[in-house]
Amino acid sequence: MGPAELVQAAAMARRFYLEGKSKIQIAEEFGVSRFKVARVLETALERDLVRIEIRVPAELDAERSDALRAHYGLRHAVVVESPAEGADESPDPENLGEVAADLLGELVDEGDVLGLAWGRSTIHMAAALDRLPPCTVVQLTGVYDAGTAERGSVEAVRRAAQVSGGEAHPIYAPMLLPDPATAAALRHQTGIARAFEYFDKVTVACVSIGSWEPGISTVHDMLSDEERAHYASLGVAAEMSAHLFDTHGRRVGRDLGERCITVEADRLRRIPEVVAIAGGPRKAEAIAAVLRSGLVTSLVTDTAAADLLLSAAPNPRPALERADPDDQGIASGR
């Protein structure tokens, strides 16, 4: 390009990229066709006269995020950098909760009903919340240990409601009960029943995912050795809100739900936006299983888990279809 061409190309690029003028407007100003303008702008990019830089915060991996969203048919996928040290040992790095808190700030609108399930990652998320529009907040599961309620999901619900200025509907009950009769009786208690009434009104939910191993699944840790072995024999690969899944995303061990205080899977599937927060390579297989279940629409994870998720075969039933793998005629175990 000669000097005149360079000057003209720079002027056109300024009009287009900085001043927001259309190619037709630029063509009229310079007395050329809009096709000429398009060629000049393309040449300006090729000759490095114009540089386009896309910048996101350093902790976010935009390329992996977009790839993961497309790979599993998610509405939103946000991938953050894994911790420099201990990535293999640390499930759900705390920075996932911080990013998830920002995501909820985008997704929740005034008047929504926000549901929070028990999980370390959701607790970290609630602690990091600093903005939410006015909304009602309801607890979707009982607590891991009623004695730790103040540091767990009850406090997470209170914190979210405090930030939003809305109502809080916590559940003061353990997640897992000794038998179905005790669980059924608790569900009819006034406070718990009131929270359950809101389940069908939830518009945005936040859940955690656990893999079937000690310290990575609260349900696994609450069961006896005999019970763990039983559910392992059914092929359980993941747990979310006391629901168990095999690697194909099919629910197994449904009898466990009869002993639990938790939102039912069918209700969870009807919630318009369900955000899962889970990361670390030890959880990758479990995350993939839950994504295949059709219960989750969005995911916040880290690069360590994302790389393993992207190496898996694409999900044949995208999450946005909310398809139930059990409807494909394959029976799951009890």
Side-chain angles (χ1 to χ4, degrees):
M1 298 177 75
E5 291 176 313
L6 284 169
V7 170
Q8 185 185 68
M12 289 183 176
R14 178 175 293 278
R15 303 290 193 281
F16 185 73
Y17 291 108
L18 298 183
E19 297 176 12
K21 291 187 176 181
S22 70
K23 293 174 184 176
I24 293 176
Q25 290 173 315
I26 297 170
E28 291 175 351
E29 178 182 348
F30 286 88
V32 299
S33 71
R34 61 186 176 88
F35 301 105
K36 166 79 171 187
V37 173
R39 287 196 298 272
V40 170
L41 292 174
E42 184 178 347
T43 302
L45 284 171
E46 293 173 351
R47 300 293 180 86
D48 209 26
L49 186 63
V50 173
R51 296 181 182 180
I52 298 176
E53 185 177 14
I54 300 173
R55 302 181 65 183
V56 296
E59 69 271 14
L60 298 183
D61 192 310
E63 185 175 350
R64 282 187 177 93
S65 297
D66 188 55
L68 196 62
R69 178 199 57 76
H71 198 72
Y72 287 93
L74 295 164
R75 183 173 291 121
H76 304 284
V78 182
V79 178
V80 305
E81 289 291 336
S82 299
E85 298 181 1
D88 291 341
E89 299 299 327
S90 174
D92 298 337
E94 289 192 21
N95 60 339
L96 294 186
E98 297 170 3
V99 173
D102 289 337
L103 179 61
L104 280 190
E106 294 181 46
L107 299 180
V108 177
D109 293 323
E110 183 173 351
D112 275 347
V113 177
L114 172 62
L116 300 181
W118 196 97
R120 297 179 186 88
S121 55
T122 52
I123 292 170
H124 291 155
M125 180 276 300
L129 281 171
D130 59 12
R131 63 184 175 94
L132 270 182
C135 64
T136 299
V137 186
V138 60
Q139 193 169 323
L140 297 178
T141 65
V143 297
Y144 173 45
D145 181 348
T148 63
E150 291 303 314
R151 302 190 302 275
S153 47
V154 170
E155 181 56 30
V157 169
R158 287 176 174 169
R159 167 66 181 168
Q162 180 184 29
V163 172
S164 73
E167 295 181 3
H169 294 276
I171 293 177
Y172 296 96
M175 181 188 295
L176 180 65
L177 281 304
D179 53 71
T182 304
L186 277 177
R187 291 189 198 104
H188 287 91
Q189 286 192 357
T190 303
I192 297 173
R194 187 178 298 116
F196 268 63
E197 289 173 0
Y198 275 90
F199 286 0
D200 287 330
K201 303 175 185 177
V202 174
T203 50
V204 180
C206 192
V207 300
S208 296
I209 297 173
S211 54
W212 199 246
E213 58 179 303
I216 312 297
S217 164
T218 52
V219 172
H220 179 282
D221 293 345
M222 286 189 282
L223 296 173
S224 67
D225 290 340
E226 183 179 355
E227 290 171 323
R228 292 170 191 152
H230 165 67
Y231 291 117
S233 72
L234 300 179
V236 60
E239 174 263 318
M240 179 183 69
S241 302
H243 300 296
L244 309 182
F245 306 87
D246 66 12
T247 56
H248 301 289
R250 300 185 299 252
R251 290 179 58 210
V252 297
R254 298 189 182 211
D255 59 312
L256 181 66
E258 298 171 5
R259 297 169 50 194
C260 293
I261 302 296
T262 185
V263 60
E264 299 95 326
D266 290 340
R267 277 176 159 174
L268 198 60
R269 197 181 303 279
R270 292 194 295 268
I271 296 174
E273 183 75 76
V274 179
V275 181
I277 313 170
R282 294 172 64 186
K283 282 195 175 183
E285 182 181 355
I287 296 169
V290 172
L291 293 182
R292 295 184 184 111
S293 75
L295 292 173
V296 169
T297 60
S298 299
L299 174 68
V300 178
T301 190
D302 66 344
T303 53
D307 286 342
L308 293 172
L309 288 167
L310 289 169
S311 68
N315 185 13
R317 304 299 295 265
L320 287 185
E321 293 181 14
R322 312 307 293 275
D324 187 345
D326 289 332
D327 290 341
Q328 300 177 30
I330 303 174
S332 59
R334 287 184 61 84

